[in-house]
Amino acid sequence: MRRRLLGDTHPDVALSLYLLSDALLKQGKFDEATRCTEPFLTPETSARPESVHLRRTRARIQARRSEFQAAAEDYWKILELEPGNHWHYLQSAPLYAELGDWNRYRILSARALEKFRGTADHTIAERMAKATLLEPDVLPDRETVDQWTATALRAGADHQYLPYIRLARGLFELRQGHWNAAADYVEKTLANTGPSVAGLRDIQAWMVLAMARHRLGQLEQARERGGLRGGRR
């Protein structure tokens, strides 16, 4: 009824479609979720700020289907429409890394460094550190990333995201060539017994740990880490 009264281009309709498409996405109903995004993501409306949520849902669907280029294009537009939202940088950075689009990745990293340098928010600091540390053997701005991870670590031992924070610091140490320090931080992440979203955090930690052990010449341990010993997936 609301859609018939207001029309597909109304912001309230966009919000309703986003909530529906997001719910369908969480249920794995990709085709149905995609159909929800289509009415609003037209040439006329897709440049509007209210299209961000629907575009993000479409990008998530595309990424789930390994349509990484399409997802990357959607996220590039999202970053133009909402450049102050740190979450978009965290979500889009792996897409450009996966595609090997290091030009866009470097632009994204430079924008993140510009917008969030000096943040006192523990979570933003941790996330921006990880978003800008994905390019192999490149440390974009050592001082800022060091500050980000140090800010995040000041959240304290009881912070709910401490394992993620330690992972970010471990990745930072890895990029600096501090193999022992990198291993120490991610070992602490893996020692945490709290919840991990679908195990993704631990998978990332195992990979950083495997790289650190390999660099240390501990090849057997690196193989064990890379293979997720103990059935951890």
Side-chain angles (χ1 to χ4, degrees), residues 11-181:
D12 288 349
V13 173
L15 177 59
S16 297
L17 290 172
Y18 161 68
L19 294 173
L20 177 57
S21 63
D22 190 59
L24 290 168
L25 175 58
K26 290 175 181 176
Q27 297 172 36
K29 298 178 179 179
F30 297 160
D31 291 339
E32 293 93 329
T34 300
R35 284 195 289 272
C36 287
T37 69
E38 289 171 352
F40 198 85
L41 293 178
T42 65
E44 176 189 357
T45 60
S46 61
R48 295 181 181 179
E50 56 265 27
S51 74
V52 165
H53 295 309
L54 282 169
R55 192 180 286 275
R56 188 175 66 192
T57 297
R58 185 171 70 179
R60 289 168 61 198
I61 295 168
Q62 291 162 339
R64 294 275 190 92
R65 289 173 163 169
S66 298
E67 298 168 2
F68 299 124
Q69 187 63 56
E73 294 302 327
D74 263 335
Y75 262 111
W76 199 248
K77 187 64 178 180
I78 289 168
L79 286 163
E80 290 179 3
L81 293 171
E82 208 170 69
N85 189 330
H86 81 280
W87 183 251
H88 302 326
Y89 295 83
L90 180 68
Q91 293 294 291
S92 59
L95 287 170
Y96 302 116
E98 172 66 26
L99 290 167
D101 189 346
W102 297 116
N103 182 52
R104 276 191 170 180
Y105 177 79
R106 289 164 192 154
I107 293 172
L108 178 148
S109 294
R111 290 176 180 173
L113 288 161
E114 178 184 355
K115 289 186 176 298
F116 303 106
R117 181 183 283 112
T119 182
D121 186 292
H122 306 303
T123 302
I124 292 176
E126 172 258 322
R127 289 172 175 172
M128 292 305 91
K130 286 195 294 191
T132 56
L133 287 169
L134 298 184
E135 187 173 2
D137 303 318
V138 173
L139 192 57
D141 182 332
R142 182 191 179 283
E143 183 177 349
T144 298
V145 181
D146 187 14
Q147 184 182 40
W148 277 338
T149 56
T151 295
L153 284 168
R154 285 196 291 272
D158 296 328
H159 196 277
Q160 62 175 326
Y161 294 140
L162 181 60
Y164 294 88
I165 291 168
R166 286 171 169 164
L167 171 58
R169 183 68 190 194
L171 182 56
F172 173 63
E173 298 291 356
L174 185 80
R175 291 296 186 235
Q176 292 189 98
H178 301 163
W179 319 127
N180 280 310

